[in-house]
Amino acid sequence: MFSQNPVFIPGPTNIPEELRRAISNPSIDHRSETFVEMFKPALAGVRRILKTDTAEVFIFPSTGTGGWEATITNLLSPGDRILASRHGMFSHRWIDLCQRHGMDMQVIHEEWGKGAPAEAFGAALAEDKGHQIKAVLVTHNETATGVRSDVAAVRRALDAAGHPALLLVDGVSSIASMDFRMDEWGVDAAVTGSQKGFMLPPGLAILGISQKAMQMVGDAKSYRCFFDFNDMKKMNASGGFPYTPPANLIRGLDTAIGMLEAEGIENVFARHHRIAEGVRQAVSAWNMKLCAHEPSLYSDTVSAIRTPEGFNSTQIVTHAANKYQVAFGVGLGDVAGKVFRIGHLGSMTDVMALSGIAAAEMTMVDLGLDVRLGSGVAAAQEYYRTHSVAAQKDAA
Ligand SMILES: *Cc1c(COP(=O)(O)O)cnc(C)c1O
């Protein structure tokens, strides 16, 4: 079926024409200078996006999940204790991956709709006098619930306890879309992928690894080969790769970073915030609530919207796809059937967001929900009209 509609899933995100062109180049010899010339600026660009001066950057042919695995297997050994909280499908899956690698997981179960519990982490770290905990996991943006966690607060909890554990952060659905400061927050591993904020197809795991974490690689006893940081670092030093690099995606990554920096990364964050706020205005106009418990937790990249009791939210996603060829996200795990998700990250504008809100409204009216056509659209229009970049400039 023909459709030029944008997708409103929280990844893979819409791919701008400029990036489609950047990745459609013919094959090159990856051992040639041509590859080095595209690879080195991409690595430097990732370092700027992560806001780190000192971390190693790694790019693997993989996805975010591979980024988790690379982090765990290079930095830790089976039996190591890891502190984490389970508060959504993605934090759940990272915990599951660690368990399958034989890690000793200390899991704090949080309500879905809340963030990583910095205070409870602090208490667990303070109690761990023998420093058995080797790492703390934080899912910066829980894509299943639309919840942003306070990474800086977890860093403060580690410091307050005087605890040396590594701070490992899943930033797959936040990095390049929402404020992220690797060095300032003392993040030891930052994990992301190509298909969310970077607006590319899936295929790259993108990692920042602190020098403190790099010192663990030699002693970490988990099995690894494809994802070995030391092999990759050695080859990267001369601009090479230990195996065939995904050259087209790497070229795309360099181009994507150029686009983000041309807009200005702080402007990119402001755009995501504005678009998200318009979606939230629409949700209020529908008399619905977000899964996220309070405004400080609201994600600027994805909104998980609670549907009325007794209604199966998956119907919204199925109906919108079948009738309007528009993709929204289903509820996952504990909130399956209870929420649907609007992804609003990456290559997205106010006008695109309005079309998604309008499609969601038509769908909900079709399905008999108590929503009035135009109500959410009008609320978002009013917000975008008064908060556009041009309106802000006029006011100043
Ligand atoms: C998308 C996503 C992932 C990774 O998923 P992949 O499908 O492996 O790329 C991990 N964590 C979060 C928070 C995500 O949104």
Side-chain angles (χ1 to χ4, degrees), residues 63-65 68 90 139 141 143 170 172-173 195-196:
T63 69
T65 306
W68 287 341
F90 291 88
T139 302
N141 189 74
T143 317
D170 172 350
V172 179
S173 62
Q195 81 274 28
K196 304 209 178 168

Side-chain angles (χ1 to χ4, degrees), residues 274-290 303 305 340 342 353-354 356-358 360-361 364 371-372 374-384:
R274 184 182 67 244
I275 291 172
E277 197 51 43
V279 171
R280 294 191 278 261
Q281 300 283 329
V283 172
S284 306
W286 297 332
N287 271 319
M288 288 176 154
K289 291 221 164 3
L290 293 175
S303 297
I305 300 153
F340 77 102
I342 301 183
L354 285 171
I357 295 166
E361 255 171 24
M364 290 190 286
V371 164
R372 201 162 36 79
S375 55
V377 172
Q381 283 173 319
E382 190 53 36
Y383 188 83
Y384 295 146

